[in-house]
Amino acid sequence: VWYLFKDSHAHLWFGTWGGGISCFDGECFKNYTTDDGLADNNVRSIFEDRDGIYWFSTYGGGVCKFDGQVFQTIAKKDGLIHDAVQHVDQSRDGAIWIATEGGVSRYIPPTEPPTVRFVGVVADRRYNPDEEIAISAAQQLVTFEFQGASFTTAPDQLAYVYQLTGVDTDWQTSYQRRVEYRGLAPGNYAFRVKAVDRDLNYSSPIAVALVITPDMQQDRIDALEAELSQPQGLEQFIGQSPALKITLEQIHTVADTDVTVLVLGETGTGKGLAARAVHSLSARKEQPLIQLNCGAIPEGLVASELFGHEKGAFTGAVARKIGRFELADGGTLFLDEIGDLPLASQQVLLHVLQDGTFQRVGGDRTIAVDVRVVAAANRDLREGMRAGTFREDLYFRLSAFALHLSPLRERQDDIPLLLHYFIEESARHLNRPVPAISPEVLSYLLEYDWPGNVRELQHLAQHVVLVCRNDRVELQDVPVRDNTAGPQTTPPAPSTPPVLPAPTRATFPSLDEREKQLIAEALDTCNGIVYGDRGAASLLGIHPERLRAKMRKYDLKKTR
């Protein structure tokens, strides 16, 4: 250590011979060398002026100024009498006196700030920085170029401080006139920069807006990977009932064609599974299956989700958006709850099905795609036609091949197989032993109406695995409700329900309530972890992004 100095904040500064500068704030050391902008690593003395600027006398690099963010140097080429500086002090009039081996220099810092301008933004091409810039996330490198100007400081002596909102938490320092960023995620950013002259005068900041749009190809890859993580083909269907066998035969019949398929069935009968089976058994299986729930999208955004939009097409359209049809090009588009599609979008959808072309919202370029459409509805679309909410021509176009999925109450032979399958799956994901099923429980479940179909049975299996305390599921482990089968309104015969004391019966919660409870319990079990082998998604046996969507639906946080 060559020099020791205590500043106005009671921080200790150490000037070293060959090691630069160290500052100790009472808790930790910070070290600065020529890599940080210091002119020379041999520091003879340290001085703090009235503005809180630090002056470092170096052996052969002149004198360095530091404001806590930027180092700037005054050397012989700037008018200093000698580069070997011994000491710095300040007179009453604010002038800085610099003692060197060649004599003393008196220096009065100018206060005229510099200016700065953008030269360009470079990614896949050079962009005009005066406008908002939209770049695909496929471009891994984005470069911002700028140039400062000053009456007192040469261009190569200017420093710059910059910040990219969303990436840099604090201002960064550069002595170059360009800054590079790699691998920016989709989102909105703003790049700001200021020039700093040798007297540590800062220019006013300038900014350029940047939008990173999703990578269409990456979205297709992600969709394909998500699809591959789901059960494929017909092995996902459990059962041997005549109704299920008819369904599987129909899927085999239509899968290897390009015919549009309309999947009809009650909620929970497996319409999504049928759509995936059609896709995975087709020649398009190497391309992604893109899904859209038409009932979950606000009416004003349906066209944008289906066909995409151009920048400025409407308020909030800050960048081009690629729609589901483009993402599904070469593959399959699954439109769930097609009956909720607005009439205006129905007309455009009909045009795409007929011609294979469309235009983005706010665009004028015709885009051609090769997409197979599988649609699904849980209500009678013909009723919508009579009510004027669903186009007749679209219905006949979609129903070129109608696939009807039977409700679970018509697949009684499948209930024991499905129950055993779901119990084994739930036990594996919940790390519980696989319990047996008492004959009384099976008899009761065979009599139950199953308004929620297979999905309701799956949730019930998860419930009994969680609450079962013995090696066998008994009636007290099963939440029960009115056990009337079918649409009957009269009470069932006395011999139909299982013999179970009424006070011991639990209230059967709604499907949403049960699903929310199971997800919350899984998150608690996994300490809020969603992804990975130890995550709640793996525990529940669903894709992590599907779990995140369910968490948003039920307003569940990762930690409770």
Side-chain angles (χ1 to χ4, degrees):
V1 176
W2 188 264
Y3 194 84
L4 176 63
F5 176 76
K6 183 178 180 180
D7 67 15
S8 57
H9 304 288
H11 296 168
L12 293 178
W13 292 81
F14 304 87
T16 72
W17 192 258
I21 307 162
S22 291
C23 176
F24 181 64
D25 62 4
E27 295 182 356
C28 63
F29 280 93
K30 291 182 180 179
N31 303 312
Y32 304 96
T33 66
T34 52
D35 293 337
D36 303 298
L38 188 64
D40 192 296
N41 284 332
N42 300 312
V43 179
R44 283 179 161 178
S45 68
I46 304 170
F47 171 72
E48 181 183 9
D49 69 18
R50 297 166 193 167
D51 296 323
I53 304 297
Y54 300 99
W55 297 73
F56 304 108
S57 305
T58 73
Y59 181 72
V63 62
C64 263
K65 303 173 63 176
F66 182 57
D67 62 358
Q69 175 77 37
V70 178
F71 283 96
Q72 283 290 44
T73 300
I74 301 173
K76 186 175 181 180
K77 62 182 180 353
D78 304 308
L80 191 65
I81 194 170
H82 200 283
D83 280 337
V85 180
Q86 297 174 328
H87 189 69
V88 177
D89 209 335
Q90 187 174 25
S91 59
R92 292 182 180 178
D93 60 2
I96 299 295
W97 293 81
I98 305 170
T100 76
E101 291 188 359
V104 177
S105 292
R106 181 174 180 268
Y107 182 73
I108 300 177
T111 58
E112 181 69 22
T115 60
V116 66
R117 65 179 180 86
F118 279 113
V119 175
V121 178
V122 181
D124 54 327
R125 62 180 178 85
R126 182 172 291 275
Y127 290 85
N128 181 356
D130 295 331
E131 301 176 358
E132 185 180 77
I133 301 168
I135 299 172
S136 169
Q139 295 299 321
Q140 291 296 301
L141 177 64
V142 180
T143 303
F144 297 92
E145 299 177 345
F146 36 83
Q147 175 66 62
S150 170
F151 290 111
T152 63
T153 307
D156 62 349
Q157 292 182 278
L158 289 170
Y160 300 91
V161 291
Y162 64 90
Q163 183 181 46
L164 183 63
T165 58
V167 176
D168 300 320
T169 56
D170 297 311
W171 289 90
Q172 309 297 311
T173 303
S174 173
Y175 294 91
Q176 306 297 320
R177 295 193 288 268
R178 55 188 288 148
V179 174
E180 297 179 348
Y181 289 90
R182 295 181 181 273
L184 293 176
N188 297 329
Y189 301 88
F191 180 79
R192 299 184 294 168
V193 62
K194 294 183 283 188
V196 187
D197 65 17
R198 70 182 184 190
D199 298 297
L200 298 180
N201 296 310
Y202 286 69
S203 72
S204 298
I206 58 173
V208 61
L210 173 67
V211 177
I212 302 296
T213 61
D215 177 5
M216 178 178 171
Q217 186 61 32
Q218 187 60 47
D219 284 350
R220 286 170 57 84
I221 294 173
D222 292 344
L224 184 57
E225 290 178 347
E227 177 60 23
L228 292 176
S229 69
Q230 300 292 330
Q232 303 297 308
L234 300 180
E235 68 271 13
Q236 56 196 314
F237 290 95
I238 307 298
Q240 56 186 11
S241 65
L244 180 60
K245 290 179 180 179
I246 292 173
T247 297
L248 300 184
E249 290 175 1
Q250 290 178 319
I251 292 176
H252 264 300
T253 298
V254 75
D256 61 353
T257 72
D258 271 343
V259 173
T260 301
V261 178
L262 178 61
V263 186
L264 301 170
E266 297 177 7
T267 298
T269 51
K271 295 185 291 296
L273 295 182
R276 283 200 293 272
V278 169
H279 173 74
S280 63
L281 294 174
S282 73
R284 299 172 179 266
K285 62 183 179 181
E286 301 299 329
Q287 301 298 322
L289 169 66
I290 303 297
Q291 304 184 44
L292 178 66
N293 187 327
C294 301
I297 306 298
E299 182 174 345
L301 297 179
V302 171
S304 171
E305 287 293 328
L306 281 173
F307 313 114
H309 63 249
E310 298 291 350
K311 175 184 174 182
F314 50 84
T315 302
V318 298
R320 171 184 291 174
K321 175 183 175 64
I322 303 301
R324 305 299 173 95
F325 264 99
E326 283 186 80
L327 291 174
D329 191 16
T332 304
L333 178 61
F334 174 44
L335 299 177
D336 200 6
E337 297 187 29
I338 190 70
D340 293 329
L341 197 66
L343 281 171
S345 298
Q346 291 179 29
Q347 181 177 359
V348 183
L349 175 59
L350 178 63
H351 175 79
V352 179
L353 294 176
Q354 291 172 338
D355 299 341
T357 62
F358 64 94
Q359 292 180 342
R360 298 191 189 105
V361 177
D364 55 9
R365 183 171 70 90
T366 299
I367 300 171
V369 291
D370 173 24
V371 174
R372 182 188 193 172
V373 171
V374 178
N378 58 12
R379 61 190 184 191
D380 191 349
L381 296 181
R382 291 170 295 185
E383 185 64 34
M385 290 192 297
R386 288 189 288 269
T389 59
F390 201 83
R391 293 177 62 102
E392 182 177 356
D393 48 4
L394 178 59
Y395 172 78
F396 289 115
R397 183 77 187 189
L398 290 172
S399 60
F401 190 96
L403 184 62
H404 295 267
L405 302 186
S406 301
L408 188 56
R409 59 182 173 273
E410 297 177 9
R411 297 172 49 194
Q412 276 205 339
D413 293 347
D414 297 338
I415 291 176
L417 295 174
L418 285 166
L419 180 61
H420 282 285
Y421 173 79
F422 288 138
I423 282 181
E424 289 179 358
E425 285 291 293
S426 299
R428 179 170 62 87
H429 289 298
L430 295 172
N431 196 25
R432 301 285 180 86
V434 179
I437 304 169
S438 70
E440 293 80 10
V441 169
L442 189 56
S443 174
Y444 170 72
L445 298 182
L446 287 172
E447 294 291 337
Y448 182 53
D449 189 29
W450 298 109
N453 293 293
V454 177
R455 187 180 301 155
E456 183 180 7
L457 177 58
Q458 181 181 14
H459 292 168
L460 181 137
Q462 293 172 337
H463 174 84
V464 298
V465 170
L466 281 172
V467 303
C468 181
R469 292 295 177 264
N470 300 311
D471 57 359
R472 192 171 79 159
V473 178
E474 303 290 352
L475 277 174
Q476 60 265 26
D477 300 320
V478 180
V480 295
R481 58 176 298 177
D482 179 10
N483 210 29
T484 304
Q488 302 175 18
T489 57
T490 57
S495 59
T496 300
V499 179
L500 185 66
T504 66
R505 295 187 176 187
T507 300
F508 204 122
S510 70
L511 289 177
D512 283 352
E513 290 171 345
R514 187 72 202 107
E515 185 173 56
K516 179 179 180 180
Q517 180 183 353
L518 285 170
I519 293 174
E521 291 170 351
L523 288 169
D524 274 350
T525 301
C526 299
N527 296 319
I529 300 173
V530 173
Y531 296 86
D533 294 339
R534 299 170 57 195
S538 176
L539 186 64
L540 294 171
I542 62 176
H543 192 274
E545 292 305 320
R546 181 173 178 82
L547 176 57
R548 294 298 297 270
K550 293 289 187 182
M551 291 167 63
R552 290 191 293 270
K553 175 182 177 181
Y554 298 125
D555 194 26
L556 291 171
K557 306 301 182 183
K558 293 176 67 176
T559 56
R560 299 179 67 229

